[in-house]
Amino acid sequence: LATHLSIPTSANSLFRLLGKLPDRRLGTAPRVLGVDDLAFKKGHVYGTILMDMETGERVDVLPDRTADTLTAWLRDHSGMEIVCRDRPSAYAEAVRTACPDATQVADRFHLWKNLCEAIEAR
């Protein structure tokens, strides 16, 4: 979008600005939570971004992508009915542990990637 609008910037600058945004609803979680990993420094430092999938707003950014960190966050923010997550098993384990009643679904990107991999395997 920045390129389309002729705004010179880098992905790192956009991530840095994203991390500086204030949290709007402390202590609550969205009904549909999106969980995905992101690179703070590509190939070296990764984190987890949490999104409200109904509004598109950022909920939080976690400093790593471990099951323990996500589990702790999920336990502190109850109320999710659906978790739309990335493929890592750490995310699946965290959701199963902290909110077992939530329905886990794959996001569109990963559904498409899974389909492509299944077709290529045939």
Side-chain angles (χ1 to χ4, degrees):
L1 179 61
T3 303
H4 180 72
L5 296 173
S6 299
I7 300 171
T9 189
S10 69
N12 288 337
S13 294
L14 294 174
F15 279 130
R16 189 171 47 256
L17 291 171
L18 181 70
K20 290 181 179 179
L21 290 173
D23 292 325
R24 290 191 170 198
R25 297 173 291 165
L26 297 174
T28 62
R31 188 180 75 82
V32 182
L33 178 72
V35 180
D36 203 353
D37 55 358
L38 65 102
F40 295 117
K41 186 174 180 186
K42 194 165 182 111
H44 298 285
V45 183
Y46 292 90
T48 301
I49 187 165
L50 306 174
M51 302 287 294
D52 182 329
M53 297 306 288
E54 293 179 309
T55 65
E57 292 181 359
R58 177 189 60 88
V59 175
D60 207 347
V61 177
L62 305 179
D64 57 40
R65 55 184 180 179
T66 65
D68 292 337
T69 302
L70 182 57
T71 300
W73 190 93
L74 291 170
R75 286 190 172 139
D76 290 342
H77 304 82
S78 61
M80 276 85 51
E81 296 175 22
I82 301 170
V83 178
C84 179
R85 65 173 179 80
D86 203 346
R87 296 193 307 173
S89 60
Y91 294 155
E93 176 188 333
V95 175
R96 258 192 320 272
T97 301
C99 42
D101 294 333
T103 301
Q104 295 189 49
V105 297
D107 57 33
R108 281 185 271 177
F109 170 80
H110 291 95
L111 285 174
W112 182 253
K113 187 171 181 176
N114 289 346
L115 175 64
C116 291
E117 288 174 359
I119 291 171
E120 287 175 3
R122 296 189 127 211

